[in-house]
């Protein structure tokens, strides 16, 4: 496999962590969390675990917020005292927000608690939220009271949302088995096997994608014989970075699909992705090209064109008028540049 592009001499650091661990220390730190953390580290999964305990009412530390935002996934261990910690609840809200705005993966573990109690805020979870509510209502400062009420609403919604996500239940199960399942699932969902197979290429391409450009769009060509993983690599990089761009599209198997479909079908897919529309009503290839060109000129875009076997296809698909500055285009092909 070869990569044809002009790469930066200095490499930009990749994401800080694979996994952020959110948990209530007094419940799990010396047992379950210690074993989970060691299992993750033993699998070379970069993991953030905070060593400090805090009291209810303290604000989330900036370094924790940064760690969440720089992690690709979070594991939330919901134990009996989790909701009694405002810090844990703030982490929960921030993690779920990352899930909404990016590809942040969230895996929940119900550590000897019933998901229905979390969903409905019953039992110890209801009691914890009631105590938070009383504390907030007794606040004398009007601004702090309003902020507290807003937080309480977000915590309640967060607990309901996390309880509705598929997770691991430890009740009646050996912890070693649960931990083994968690490590395996998080490794698979993060596609760490791919990272280990081609770490150097991933590092180079990630650096290139993160490198901003105030002038022109840049094209990266990944080429080599069939079956060596070009599409897998391109798809992985697209999944990892597409949220960093205003618009994005991954058009797979262009050569194969052109033999079975018209280029207009591919144009419609591309235009639908870029305009964020499910269906494109356009039956003229030239007009479709014009709309694609206009869309590309307005927004910073990440575009992957996979398995291009005829570079004339590119003129029809994306036009010739160029892209918005900062855009990145990845082309995979079996033919050299």
């Amino acid at each position: 496999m070869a990569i044809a592009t002009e790469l930066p001499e200095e490499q930009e650091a990749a994401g800080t962590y694979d996994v952020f661990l959110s948990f209530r220390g007094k419940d799990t730190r010396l047992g379950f969390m210690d074993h989970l953390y060691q299992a993750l580290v033993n699998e070379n999964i970069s993991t953030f675990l905070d060593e400090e305990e805090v009291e209810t009412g303290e604000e989330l530390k900036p370094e924790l917020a940064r760690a969440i935002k720089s992690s690709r996934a979070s594991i939330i261990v919901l134990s009996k005292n989790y909701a009694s910690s405002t810090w844990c609840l703030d982490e929960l809200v921030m993690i779920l927000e990352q899930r909404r705005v990016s590809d942040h993966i969230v895996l929940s573990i119900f550590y000897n608690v019933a998901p229905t109690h979390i969903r409905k805020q019953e039992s110890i979870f209801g009691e914890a939220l009631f105590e938070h509510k009383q504390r907030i209502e007794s606040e004398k400062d009007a601004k702090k009271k309003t902020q507290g009420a807003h937080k309480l609403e977000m915590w309640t919604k967060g607990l309901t949302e996390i309880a509705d996500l598929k997770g691991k239940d430890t009740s009646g199960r050996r912890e070693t088995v649960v931990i083994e399942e968690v490590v395996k699932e998080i490794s698979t969902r993060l596609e760490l096997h791919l990272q280990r197979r081609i770490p150097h290429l991933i590092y180079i391409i990630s650096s290139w994608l993160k490198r901003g450009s105030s002038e022109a769009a840049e094209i990266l060509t990944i080429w080599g014989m069939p079956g060596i993983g070009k599409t897998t690599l391109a798809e992985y990089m697209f999944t990892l970075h597409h949220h960093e761009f205003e618009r994005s599209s991954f058009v797979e198997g262009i050569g194969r699909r052109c033999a079975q479909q018209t280029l207009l079908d591919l144009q419609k897919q591309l235009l639908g992705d870029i305009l964020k529309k499910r269906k494109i009503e356009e039956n003229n290839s030239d007009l479709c090209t014009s709309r694609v060109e206009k869309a590309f000129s307005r927004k910073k875009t990440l575009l992957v064109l996979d398995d291009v076997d005829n570079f004339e296809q590119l003129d029809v698909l994306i036009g010739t008028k160029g892209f918005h500055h900062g855009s990145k285009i990845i082309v995979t092909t079996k033919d050299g540049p």
Side-chain angles (χ1 to χ4, degrees), residues 220 222 229-235 249-258 266 269 303-310 313-314 317 329-334:
L220 174 75
I222 304 175
K230 300 185 299 295
T231 298
T232 302
L233 174 61
E235 185 175 19
S249 180
F250 184 100
V251 186
E252 185 177 358
I254 292 174
R256 169 181 51 80
R257 292 170 64 188
C258 280
L266 300 184
Q269 176 198 331
L303 176 61
V304 176
L305 301 172
D306 173 58
D307 189 30
V308 175
D309 58 10
N310 179 352
Q313 296 164 346
L314 299 186
L317 279 173
I329 304 96
I330 297 176
V331 177
T332 74
T333 178
K334 61 179 177 294

Side-chain angles (χ1 to χ4, degrees), residues 207-219 241-242 244-248 296-303 322-330:
S207 298
W208 175 73
L209 287 169
K210 288 177 176 293
R211 184 184 66 182
S213 173
S214 60
E215 298 180 358
E218 296 178 317
I219 298 177
H241 291 282
H242 75 86
E244 299 167 9
F245 294 78
E246 296 174 280
R247 294 289 186 267
S248 61
F296 284 150
S297 69
R298 293 176 175 175
K299 299 288 184 179
K300 179 183 173 183
T301 303
L302 173 61
L303 176 61
F323 286 70
H324 191 275
H325 61 80
S327 294
K328 306 281 185 174
I329 304 96
I330 297 176

Side-chain angles (χ1 to χ4, degrees), residues 1 4 10 23 30 43 47 75 83 126 157 162 185 188 191 207 219 256 264 280 294 298 312:
M1 182 187 298
E10 295 184 3
F23 62 99
L30 300 180
E43 286 296 312
T47 305
I75 298 175
K157 289 180 178 178
I162 195 64
E185 179 171 341
T188 299
E191 296 183 305
S207 298
I219 298 177
R256 169 181 51 80
L264 180 60
I280 298 295
K294 185 178 294 185
R298 293 176 175 175
E312 292 179 1

Side-chain angles (χ1 to χ4, degrees), residues 166-180:
K166 183 180 178 182
K168 303 288 184 182
D169 194 337
T170 66
S171 300
R173 304 185 65 202
R174 292 174 58 189
E175 291 186 1
T176 53
V177 174
V178 175
I179 289 173
E180 184 178 343

Side-chain angles (χ1 to χ4, degrees), residues 26-256:
K26 65 186 294 185
D27 292 339
T28 61
R29 182 182 297 278
L30 300 180
F32 183 82
M33 289 311 304
D34 183 54
H35 297 148
L36 174 60
Y37 176 75
Q38 289 303 320
L40 290 165
V41 171
N42 290 342
E43 286 296 312
N44 294 318
I45 298 174
S46 175
T47 305
F48 181 93
L49 179 145
D50 186 48
E51 295 290 350
E52 185 178 346
E53 287 289 341
V54 295
E55 298 299 326
T56 295
E58 290 189 33
E59 292 295 320
L60 192 66
K61 293 188 299 185
E63 52 265 40
L64 285 184
R66 286 194 295 270
I68 291 172
K69 292 180 179 179
S70 66
S71 298
R72 297 175 54 209
S74 289
I75 298 175
I76 302 173
V77 181
L78 295 143
S79 57
K80 65 178 183 178
N81 288 300
Y82 187 91
S84 67
S85 166
T86 58
W87 201 342
C88 286
L89 292 171
D90 284 343
E91 287 179 357
L92 172 66
V93 170
M94 182 170 291
I95 288 167
L96 292 175
E97 176 63 18
Q98 283 299 109
R99 179 175 180 267
R100 282 188 287 272
V101 302
S102 68
D103 293 318
H104 193 87
I105 295 165
V106 177
L107 180 61
S108 57
I109 300 174
F110 302 103
Y111 188 77
N112 298 328
V113 294
T116 186
H117 290 166
I118 301 173
R119 183 181 298 107
K120 298 179 180 180
Q121 287 87 59
E122 296 175 340
S123 185
I124 51 178
F125 285 85
E127 293 168 8
L129 288 180
F130 180 73
E131 290 181 7
H132 293 318
K133 182 179 179 180
Q134 285 187 313
R135 177 176 50 81
I136 291 167
E137 289 179 345
S138 66
E139 174 62 57
K140 303 299 182 183
D141 187 296
K143 183 177 180 181
K144 289 183 178 180
K145 189 172 185 177
T146 300
Q147 291 173 341
H150 176 69
K151 276 196 170 189
L152 182 64
E153 181 182 359
M154 298 300 292
W155 295 338
T156 303
K157 289 180 178 178
L159 288 170
T160 300
E161 183 177 346
I162 195 64
D164 285 335
L165 295 181
K166 183 180 178 182
K168 303 288 184 182
D169 194 337
T170 66
S171 300
R173 304 185 65 202
R174 292 174 58 189
E175 291 186 1
T176 53
V177 174
V178 175
I179 289 173
E180 184 178 343
E181 290 177 356
V182 169
V183 173
K184 182 177 180 180
E185 179 171 341
I186 207 72
S187 180
T188 299
R189 293 178 67 179
L190 288 172
E191 296 183 305
L192 296 179
H193 62 288
L194 179 59
Q195 284 194 48
R196 290 162 187 157
R197 189 160 66 239
I198 45 176
H200 184 59
L201 289 180
I202 289 175
Y203 182 79
I204 291 173
I205 298 174
S206 287
S207 298
W208 175 73
L209 287 169
K210 288 177 176 293
R211 184 184 66 182
S213 173
S214 60
E215 298 180 358
E218 296 178 317
I219 298 177
L220 174 75
T221 303
I222 304 175
W223 61 277
M225 62 186 294
I228 60 173
K230 300 185 299 295
T231 298
T232 302
L233 174 61
E235 185 175 19
Y236 176 76
M237 300 313 302
F238 178 83
T239 301
L240 193 61
H241 291 282
H242 75 86
H243 63 277
E244 299 167 9
F245 294 78
E246 296 174 280
R247 294 289 186 267
S248 61
S249 180
F250 184 100
V251 186
E252 185 177 358
I254 292 174
R256 169 181 51 80

